[in-house]
Amino acid sequence: MGFFFKMKPLLLAILAGIVLYTGAVSEYPWTFDNDLLGGPDFWGLLNKHWRMCTMGQMQSPVNIDPSKLFYDAGLSPIAIDNNVVEAELHNTGQLPVLTINDSLILSKNINISGGPGSPYKYRLHKVIIHFGRTIDGEKGSEHTVDFVRFPAEVQLIAYNTDLYTNFTEAMTQPRGLLAIAVIVDIRDVTNTELRKLTVASQSVTYKDSKTILKKFNVHGLLPKTTNYVTYEGSLTFPGCYETVTWVIMNNPIYITKEDLQIWNDLQQTEFKQPNPVFMFPNYRPLKTLNGRLLRTNIKVKYKRMAAHSCSSNVYLDMGYQANPTRSHHKRHASDENEPNAAFSVEKLDTRADILNNMESFDYL
Ligand SMILES: *[C@@H]1O[C@H](CO)[C@@H](O)[C@H](O)[C@H]1NC(C)=O
Ligand SMILES: *[C@@H]1O[C@H](CO)[C@@H](O)[C@H](O)[C@H]1NC(C)=O
Ligand SMILES: *[C@@H]1O[C@H](CO)[C@@H](O)[C@H](O)[C@H]1NC(C)=O
């Protein structure tokens, strides 16, 4: 780590030199690997259209601090059409991306209304999956809750159809995008639609391969809750445009260990290599909030949790809420795996720790 810290300013200086000299290095491939020149700390220098990745002050993902949530009674539930659509899963080399094309038949699109995006209406366009290196137990969610990272994160990204004609246009424009983040946790059964995506991912092992899912119900990827946390942020990949209203659902969906492992087969290269270059981990390091509000529609109930009450009820009721019982308890090792405590699944993983330290490293 020490060596890396010393080297990074030098690498940045070299890269800045290249950018000044050539105007851009847009050919340079971006990656999630910060040990490489194309990694997250360098995205903003690779292409002049991506400068928000470095300069932006409202970037994503962020840590959700349950003690800093503002209850906003004006936040309505989010309504997402429950339609079955055709969609295409694509290995971009960096991410698995499911694209739902705009349909000429309007009733075949998935509209999203209500919630923090309202009064605007949005149309779902992409579903992106983030994960870690599961063999090491690395977690790969982008957003963290109380600095706890989760096994994976599914993101539903929609564009504002009231203001813009397509995703590409909306992506760079004010109020352009609405992104719904769903945390994925481990359990003994995989969410049905996530299982379909997992199976399809086996057909897109290599970069630029694509496969069509004939009947996909995106609505099925959502947890059964209307509770969420919302904040204003950015895309978590280049160009990091600060056009995204983020919604982090309060409850996870589930995947089995075995199914999560399947996502780790995805590779960054177009062809099979003697030394495979895997896609994992594919999450961006945390960004600082810089005073942004974390609003929620979760009404905090300051009732004491009954010991050994039904865990599923507690999960639904408590969610992310600033649970005084929990924050009081969390420093005691014996309580760390307390099954009733919402989202207190495990202690901060070491990679998150390292990344947080890197965030505060002042290299520019
Ligand atoms: C989406 O549109 C593109 C471009 O028109 C097309 O190549 C692709 O096959 C379409 N995918 C689906 C799932 O309809
Ligand atoms: C989606 O919104 C469009 C335009 O507002 C509307 O015409 C269409 O019927 C909606 N689709 C569904 C499935 O409700
Ligand atoms: C998106 O809309 C813009 C503006 O109307 C247009 O110039 C562009 O070609 C469209 N892009 C796609 C991919 O349809």
Side-chain angles (χ1 to χ4, degrees):
M1 232 31 223
F3 175 73
F4 181 54
F5 277 138
K6 269 182 234 132
M7 286 307 290
K8 203 141 88 172
L10 179 61
L11 292 177
L12 279 166
I14 293 169
L15 190 64
I18 296 171
V19 174
L20 284 176
Y21 183 70
T22 61
V25 282
S26 49
E27 300 308 304
Y28 204 90
W30 67 272
T31 144
F32 283 99
D33 187 348
N34 237 341
D35 290 342
L36 300 175
L37 222 45
D41 286 348
F42 305 94
W43 292 350
L45 299 171
L46 295 176
N47 182 318
K48 66 175 192 281
H49 300 296
W50 299 351
R51 52 192 299 279
M52 288 309 265
C53 299
T54 307
M55 305 306 289
Q57 297 297 313
M58 294 177 64
Q59 292 285 297
S60 297
V62 297
N63 175 53
I64 309 292
D65 180 344
S67 68
K68 301 228 170 86
L69 302 182
F70 288 83
Y71 171 63
D72 182 344
L75 289 171
S76 56
I78 296 173
I80 305 180
D81 288 340
N82 193 353
N83 296 339
V84 173
V85 293
E86 186 176 285
E88 185 181 70
L89 184 64
H90 176 198
N91 175 340
T92 67
Q94 290 104 354
L95 288 163
V97 179
L98 183 79
T99 301
I100 297 117
N101 275 359
D102 285 356
S103 171
L104 296 175
I105 308 157
L106 282 174
S107 62
K108 295 220 162 148
N109 291 305
I110 300 173
N111 294 339
I112 302 183
S113 57
S118 84
Y120 293 117
K121 292 208 177 58
Y122 293 77
R123 181 173 300 159
L124 189 69
H125 187 65
K126 283 181 192 300
V127 178
I128 298 180
I129 299 99
H130 299 268
F131 44 84
R133 181 185 162 94
T134 58
I135 201 161
D136 302 336
E138 182 189 25
K139 312 277 195 306
S141 72
E142 294 213 293
H143 290 90
T144 59
V145 180
D146 214 5
F147 288 110
V148 173
R149 198 175 290 283
F150 292 86
E153 180 169 325
V154 172
Q155 297 171 346
L156 281 52
I157 309 184
Y159 73 94
N160 186 326
T161 44
D162 286 339
L163 299 180
Y164 307 111
T165 54
N166 58 46
F167 180 86
T168 316
E169 187 198 359
M171 174 171 87
T172 61
Q173 300 297 317
R175 296 271 137 208
L177 304 179
L178 179 79
I180 301 175
V182 179
I183 298 291
V184 183
D185 212 342
I186 305 285
R187 211 176 242 187
D188 49 8
V189 182
T190 301
N191 167 290
T192 309
E193 299 305 308
L194 187 53
R195 173 79 192 141
K196 282 188 205 165
L197 276 182
T198 305
V199 171
S201 79
Q202 294 174 302
S203 311
V204 297
T205 305
Y206 298 101
K207 184 184 174 185
D208 290 337
S209 46
K210 295 174 179 175
T211 188
I212 301 274
L213 283 92
K214 283 280 174 205
K215 290 184 175 173
F216 194 72
N217 179 6
V218 185
H219 195 274
L221 288 172
L222 295 168
K224 288 182 180 46
T225 180
T226 53
N227 291 343
Y228 59 81
V229 172
T230 179
Y231 74 97
E232 296 301 320
S234 73
L235 287 177
T236 60
F237 52 86
C240 311
Y241 307 111
E242 292 181 344
T243 56
V244 187
T245 299
W246 278 96
V247 172
I248 294 97
M249 299 309 293
N250 188 36
N251 295 70
I253 58 169
Y254 296 96
I255 192 167
T256 63
K257 269 193 180 137
E258 294 70 26
D259 282 350
L260 184 59
Q261 180 67 41
I262 290 173
W263 288 96
N264 270 202
D265 294 338
L266 295 181
Q267 298 181 28
Q268 293 186 34
T269 56
E270 282 176 51
F271 305 102
K272 194 179 165 112
Q273 302 288 318
N275 297 310
V277 189
F278 291 104
M279 192 186 266
F280 64 74
N282 63 0
Y283 60 92
R284 186 187 193 193
L286 290 173
K287 296 289 157 189
T288 49
L289 259 188
N290 291 330
R292 279 173 286 172
L293 281 188
L294 293 172
R295 291 183 298 148
T296 182
N297 64 348
I298 307 168
K299 201 164 183 179
V300 181
K301 288 179 232 145
Y302 285 99
K303 69 174 183 208
R304 245 192 103 76
M305 249 201 300
H308 308 109
S309 58
C310 169
S311 66
S312 62
N313 278 342
V314 171
Y315 212 61
L316 285 171
D317 282 340
M318 303 304 275
Y320 290 139
Q321 85 181 29
N323 173 355
T325 323
R326 186 181 160 227
S327 47
H328 174 70
H329 276 179
K330 77 180 174 193
R331 280 185 189 82
H332 301 292
S334 59
D335 290 330
E336 240 153 34
N337 292 320
E338 184 185 322
N340 285 346
F343 280 103
S344 65
V345 176
E346 58 270 292
K347 63 184 196 305
L348 172 60
D349 75 45
T350 46
R351 186 178 163 102
D353 233 331
I354 292 164
L355 291 171
N356 288 328
N357 289 335
M358 281 171 61
E359 291 289 314
S360 55
F361 181 67
D362 190 13
Y363 55 81
L364 282 181

